[in-house]
Amino acid sequence: MVNRIIAVINQKGGTGKTTLALNLSAGLALRGSTHLVDADPQRSITQWVGMGGGHSGLPQVAQLDDNPVAMLTELTHSYRYVVVDCPPTAQGEAVAAIMRVVHLALIPVLPSPIDLWASVDMAVAVKEARQNNPELRACLVLNQMESRNALSRDMREAVAEFDMPVLVAGMQRRAAYRSAAVEGRSVYGVGKRGQQAVADIEAIIEEVLCL
Ligand SMILES: Nc1ncnc2c1ncn2[C@@H]1O[C@H](COP(=O)(O)OP(=O)(O)O)[C@@H](O)[C@H]1O
Ligand SMILES: [Mg+2]
């Protein structure tokens, strides 16, 4: 089944939620109609897309309203993919509502055991959400990796303890993610500079669409 509502979520800030949500949505938009939802009160996605001045080639963005279940369900009637950039919390009504309707939760984590353990509440939140949404899938996505094989033994052990699948594909640390953000674009929109980052995102999408 195609995962139609994808939430990018982690209670910790700075792990790459907004970066993944935005670039994932840009890549999905090449495959089918895609809508972004900004659920973070900090409004990073909205600002990011605003910087592109409407010429960024990015999907449409809406801010989450006070009825997330209705809003997200409604969007799936018109769009093939809906990507939600979540606030840095595992609690609260908005996140609970999002988790009730979402098909897939992607949890970006930095490749250090300390950062991974800081995300342990996410595993609990996913378990709770499955009581209402038994089909919910959740995967960790490693971000800011230094190389394909940089996963330390510690990290591998920590991931195994975490009891949640981790995508084979991840985002490496690349200047293009930052420079594209500064320009209000996705890595798809910055030409050759973004090529390797695009390859990261394409691999993530291919993996996610096969789940
Ligand atoms: N793979 C990456 N390579 C380089 N910089 C990155 C990468 N992922 C995220 N960043 C940068 O790290 C910072 C935090 O990322 P962000 O997506 O805003 O995290 P979050 O939304 O979880 O708070 C931003 O400045 C972003 O540009
Ligand atoms: Mg963010």
Side-chain angles (χ1 to χ4, degrees), residues 132-166:
N132 298 308
N133 182 4
E135 304 287 301
L136 171 66
R137 314 195 64 145
C139 296
L140 301 172
V141 185
L142 297 170
N143 184 24
Q144 304 245 22
M145 294 196 294
E146 300 286 359
S147 81
R148 286 250 174 261
N149 302 311
L151 266 195
S152 66
R153 215 186 73 194
D154 285 355
M155 185 64 187
R156 265 192 279 264
E157 282 169 6
V159 167
E161 253 173 59
F162 209 68
D163 190 25
M164 195 179 279
V166 52

Side-chain angles (χ1 to χ4, degrees), residues 103-116:
H103 301 112
L104 172 69
L106 292 179
I107 304 166
V109 289
L110 301 179
S112 89
I114 292 168
D115 274 280
L116 186 66

Side-chain angles (χ1 to χ4, degrees), residues 12-19 38 40 42-45 48 85-88:
K12 200 168 175 291
T15 62
K17 288 180 290 298
T18 301
T19 304
D38 189 355
D40 186 352
Q42 285 179 20
R43 302 285 173 240
S44 329
I45 284 264
W48 192 338
D85 184 32
C86 291

Side-chain angles (χ1 to χ4, degrees), residues 8 18-19 26 33 36 45 47 64 71 75 79 94 114 134 143 147 162 170-171 174-175 183-184 188 200 203 209:
V8 183
T18 301
T19 304
S33 58
L36 251 174
I45 284 264
Q47 285 166 17
L64 192 73
M71 180 188 183
L75 282 173
Y79 294 89
I114 292 168
N143 184 24
S147 81
F162 209 68
M171 295 191 289
R174 300 188 194 281
E183 294 165 40
Y188 290 81
D200 291 348
L209 293 184

